[in-house]
Amino acid sequence: MDISSIDPVILIASLMVSSTSILLAATGELIVEKSGVLNLGVEGMMIIGAICGFIICVEFKSPFLGLIGSALGGALLSMIFAAVTQFLRANQVASGLALTLFGLGLASLLGHSYTGIKPPYLPKPNIPLLSDIPIVGKMLFQHDVVVYFSIVSVVAAWFLFQKTKLGLIVKAVGENQESAHALGYNVIRTRVIAILVGGSFAGLAGGYLSLVRVPQWTEGMTAGAGWIALALVVFSGWKPLRLIIGAYIFGGFTILQLNLQAIGIELSVALLSMTPYIVTIIALVLISSGKGRVGTSTPGSLGKVFMKVR
Amino acid sequence: MKKKFNFLLTFMGILCVSAGAYAADLKVGFVYVGPPGDFGWTYQHDQGRKAVERAFGDRVETTFAENVPEGADAERVMTQMALSGHDMIFATSFGYMDPVINVAAKFPNVKFEHATGYRRADNVSTYSARFYEGRTVIGHIAGKMTKTNVVGYIASYPIPEVVRGINSAYLAAKAANPNVQFKIVWVFTWFDPAKEADAANALIDQGADVIMAHTDSPSPLTVAEERGVYAFGQASDMLQFGPNARLGSIIDDWDPYYIERVQAALDGTWESTDTWDGLAPGMAALGGFGDMVPFEVRAEAMALAIGIAGGRIHSFTGPINRQDGTPWLAEGETADDGTLITMNFYVEGIEGEIPQ
């Protein structure tokens, strides 16, 4: 079998599509965690986004409205999490897990009459000039808008945390909630907004699955992507730009091993499938040991409950 | 200590059974590997469960546990079911085989039914459909319909059931079209629509224009529809997911079997059995043809299906060599069930290796 029958252009183009939803969900979760909140409900918000987007897309026959609907759906679900953890001060880990279970169940209920329906396809924008460039054009400039949005949002998150005052406030709240509070920043409000933003990203990630990538509604269709997004945030060491690398490595391995199999290269499928997880574990070990040159910025108040005492 | 614990478990079990007895004569649990809404494998099993409810009304109570991973977690779920008064448990995935045997040993009074496995005990029956007979028919259609002579095959796990399906589909496709080539991708999941879609895309990128899948969701068919190639419905008819792509389908019909077994349990005539039904009794059935399938191909496929159902044609009829060229079946010889049920080799002509 000839390895040259894998077209690198198509390979890269499809790994970008395949990585987009975990990249979006991870970007949202990174913003949430930067504010000091650990929301393990990504999977639940994704699946709610997937079904809300699907319903709206089918009812209004507009994929764009569908994508907006999916983001709203994810944000709505995350409001429950925000209420429970920020105002009722419940344990974030337990609430996040509950959010996932609740989201999966609610999505099945909502989607009951939507199985087997074909949504209208999301048109791909025709980018003049750029998409006509040989090789690079086909590889990078013939995607749908969500692929570009995911990249832009990562860069925007980087810009937010590195260059803006708002980003600094969010980071301060996440690093040391007491100090931020003492400085006069509203910790709860900042976190609620971060949770909502994270929820809409997760919802959009789910909507991308049900509207573009698969495209159909099937119960439980996220199949663990939310957990991969959570692992990706840890892998990135809470640095936005590393999310792109992590997501594309993950998507790349998946796509590459499928393509290698399709052309008949013999390889250990099981080994390749677990590579991304192994990389995450290694990254975790390096981060937690404090050794190596893995710079990291785990938010200091991550997962801590904030109580206004003073 | 452990003995005490076992005693406690049994005691609790008895309590639950007696408590449940007031509600219905028989409580039946179903363990699913995916969600009932997958519109494939689990969906069909859930249809079987509903058929049982319709047939017996208040006499039988059914429950189900969905998305149960194969392995230790399945053991926990089935133990829980046995403890909560279930008299009968249908475990509907191959990977539940060892958990079923373990749990069954602890609860000798609970009747277990394990789909697609081969380990039995006094209170464990196995049942499966000869899906490979259906795959012979759709393999023939695939061989006739491919223009690129490349058929893409999305395989789940390297278990005999899946390997058998690949072999029977390949032999039929090869007989219909000597130039046909199979490209096989193992996804190591039963249900992950996004990954199944990625696999379908990879196969289409590599030239496949007919996709066969042995996973549980309709997403390969959806991708085929979007990219303008052909595919099949798997486990369920799935016509609505790809009206222009779907050439045909294999449908699993568990209803009659489930009703028969529950009836036996109610009558007290249930005993451990091994059932392997094919196209003839209809446990594996064929859906209608897609409009694009030409008349001759339909006629040939029908003839194959009728021949198999009537016992005149066997999916594995010699001469067939193994992949390495060593003879397996001589001219006119047909495969015995023992070999088929543990099949772990490709037949000659298939490229690649079965992952270990």
Side-chain angles (χ1 to χ4, degrees):
Chain A
M1 272 298 145
D2 189 5
I3 197 154
S4 65
S5 68
I6 294 184
D7 186 343
V9 174
I10 293 177
L11 190 75
I12 289 174
S14 41
L15 87 82
M16 286 175 75
V17 171
S18 158
S19 313
T20 294
S21 57
I22 52 171
L23 183 58
L24 278 170
T27 309
E29 180 65 14
L30 183 118
I31 294 169
V32 179
E33 292 191 14
K34 274 283 186 190
S35 80
V37 178
L38 183 64
N39 185 354
L40 296 181
V42 183
E43 179 87 1
M45 299 184 297
M46 274 181 79
I47 195 97
I48 284 293
I51 186 57
C52 288
F54 194 85
I55 291 175
I56 290 175
C57 173
V58 168
E59 296 301 335
F60 294 94
K61 306 214 173 356
S62 158
F64 283 105
L65 279 182
L67 288 170
I68 293 167
S70 64
L72 285 177
L76 267 176
L77 191 70
S78 72
M79 269 167 84
I80 300 177
F81 179 82
V84 169
T85 59
Q86 299 308 306
F87 299 112
L88 302 176
R89 297 198 269 278
N91 178 293
Q92 293 176 4
V93 172
S95 311
L97 293 174
L99 195 70
T100 289
L101 295 175
F102 176 67
L104 286 168
L106 183 65
S108 307
L109 186 70
L110 289 173
H112 217 264
S113 48
Y114 285 90
T115 21
I117 295 175
K118 213 168 69 175
Y121 293 135
L122 183 73
K124 289 179 183 175
N126 186 15
I127 306 173
L129 297 174
L130 285 178
S131 62
D132 299 333
I133 307 171
I135 301 173
V136 181
K138 196 175 177 193
M139 192 168 11
L140 302 177
F141 298 110
Q142 290 186 7
H143 290 294
D144 52 77
V145 281
V146 187
V147 172
Y148 303 121
F149 179 79
S150 69
I151 298 168
V152 169
S153 58
V154 170
V155 177
W158 170 82
F159 185 80
L160 174 78
F161 290 123
Q162 292 301 319
K163 305 283 177 197
T164 68
K165 187 182 167 199
L166 179 65
L168 277 176
I169 297 172
V170 176
K171 272 203 285 192
V173 167
E175 284 301 332
N176 192 325
Q177 50 194 24
E178 276 79 21
S179 310
H181 175 62
L183 285 170
Y185 296 118
N186 190 331
V187 174
I188 303 287
R189 193 177 67 199
T190 312
R191 287 186 174 169
V192 168
I193 293 170
I195 291 169
L196 291 183
V197 171
S200 19
F201 271 96
L204 183 62
Y208 187 68
L209 271 184
S210 66
L211 293 180
V212 185
R213 185 144 158 248
V214 175
Q216 71 182 36
W217 165 249
T218 318
E219 239 182 278
M221 67 181 305
T222 43
W227 302 108
I228 294 165
L230 276 164
L232 203 59
V233 175
V234 179
F235 171 83
S236 75
W238 291 269
K239 291 186 185 298
L241 295 181
R242 285 196 199 153
L243 283 180
I244 296 193
I245 303 169
Y248 283 6
I249 288 177
F250 188 90
F253 266 110
T254 312
I255 294 295
L256 183 66
Q257 65 109 340
L258 292 174
N259 273 283
L260 285 175
Q261 283 197 62
I263 62 163
I265 300 265
E266 281 154 30
L267 75 173
S268 168
V269 181
L271 194 72
L272 265 181
S273 304
M274 68 185 177
T275 310
Y277 302 94
I278 295 176
V279 173
T280 305
I281 293 171
I282 294 172
L284 262 175
V285 170
L286 285 178
I287 288 165
S288 58
S289 72
K291 286 178 188 147
R293 293 200 161 267
V294 185
T296 177
S297 46
T298 316
S301 296
L302 186 60
K304 285 186 193 160
V305 173
F306 177 70
M307 273 200 252
K308 224 191 290 185
V309 280
R310 289 177 293 267
Chain B
M1 188 61 212
K2 201 177 173 201
K3 248 190 184 154
K4 242 184 197 167
F5 182 64
N6 278 344
F7 170 74
L8 195 70
L9 284 185
T10 327
F11 181 67
M12 280 162 59
I14 292 165
L15 269 185
C16 296
V17 169
S18 51
Y22 293 103
D25 294 346
L26 196 77
K27 196 170 170 186
V28 186
F30 289 79
V31 187
Y32 299 147
V33 71
D38 69 357
F39 264 73
W41 177 260
T42 300
Y43 175 78
Q44 290 301 127
H45 283 286
D46 201 52
Q47 293 299 309
R49 181 184 68 79
K50 288 177 176 159
V52 166
E53 289 212 317
R54 277 196 302 275
F56 297 101
D58 291 342
R59 291 188 67 196
V60 173
E61 181 190 348
T62 69
T63 64
F64 65 88
E66 58 185 309
N67 286 318
V68 178
E70 300 177 324
D73 213 30
E75 208 164 318
R76 179 184 63 76
V77 169
M78 283 185 274
T79 304
Q80 189 63 40
M81 277 189 170
L83 284 175
S84 58
H86 289 76
D87 308 288
M88 195 174 188
I89 295 173
F90 287 91
T92 65
S93 191
F94 177 80
Y96 299 149
M97 183 154 65
D98 293 342
V100 164
I101 297 295
N102 295 344
V103 179
K106 286 186 214 147
F107 299 95
N109 295 324
V110 178
K111 299 167 182 68
F112 289 83
E113 295 269 352
H114 179 224
T116 69
Y118 51 79
R119 289 184 69 187
R120 278 173 295 281
D122 285 344
N123 59 334
V124 180
S125 285
T126 53
Y127 63 100
S128 183
R130 294 177 187 268
F131 306 114
Y132 69 86
E133 295 184 347
R135 284 186 189 275
T136 297
V137 179
I138 65 170
H140 178 87
I141 301 173
K144 286 285 180 188
M145 296 299 289
T146 176
K147 290 184 188 70
T148 59
N149 292 330
V150 178
V151 173
Y153 202 108
I154 303 171
S156 50
Y157 291 99
I159 59 171
E161 164 77 47
V162 177
V163 174
R164 201 162 55 231
I166 295 172
N167 283 334
S168 64
Y170 175 77
L171 289 170
K174 187 83 176 172
N177 173 359
N179 296 321
V180 84
Q181 187 199 354
F182 266 37
K183 292 194 169 176
I184 302 160
V185 164
W186 296 89
V187 289
F188 281 82
T189 179
W190 285 115
F191 179 78
D192 183 343
K195 194 169 184 187
E196 293 167 48
D198 283 346
N201 273 315
L203 286 164
I204 297 166
D205 289 341
Q206 293 305 324
D209 65 350
V210 177
I211 301 290
M212 298 178 92
H214 201 145
T215 47
D216 296 352
S217 94
S219 83
L221 181 56
T222 321
V223 170
E225 175 85 10
E226 193 184 353
R227 300 209 36 190
V229 303
Y230 295 133
F232 295 94
Q234 157 67 8
S236 192
D237 195 51
M238 299 186 179
L239 175 63
Q240 69 272 40
F241 291 98
N244 301 309
R246 181 191 148 290
L247 295 169
S249 63
I250 306 176
I251 302 172
D252 312 349
D253 182 9
W254 308 104
D255 305 11
Y257 180 77
Y258 284 177
I259 292 171
E260 180 196 321
R261 299 303 284 171
V262 170
Q263 184 69 57
L266 280 169
D267 298 345
T269 56
W270 188 96
E271 52 184 24
S272 172
T273 53
D274 175 27
T275 306
W276 203 16
D277 281 346
L279 287 178
M283 196 182 254
L286 292 165
F289 298 106
D291 293 340
M292 67 300 261
V293 183
F295 178 74
E296 314 87 71
V297 180
R298 292 180 192 213
E300 290 161 7
M302 285 307 290
L304 259 179
I306 293 166
I308 291 171
R312 283 180 292 108
I313 300 175
H314 192 288
S315 299
F316 295 97
T317 306
I320 302 174
N321 290 343
R322 290 168 194 255
Q323 190 185 33
D324 57 12
T326 55
W328 173 37
L329 296 173
E331 177 85 40
E333 192 187 353
T334 57
D336 61 290
D337 281 358
T339 314
L340 288 182
I341 221 144
T342 54
M343 190 174 236
N344 60 355
F345 59 88
Y346 282 149
V347 295
E348 195 171 44
I350 299 181
E351 285 158 19
E353 261 179 48
I354 301 171
Q356 293 306 318

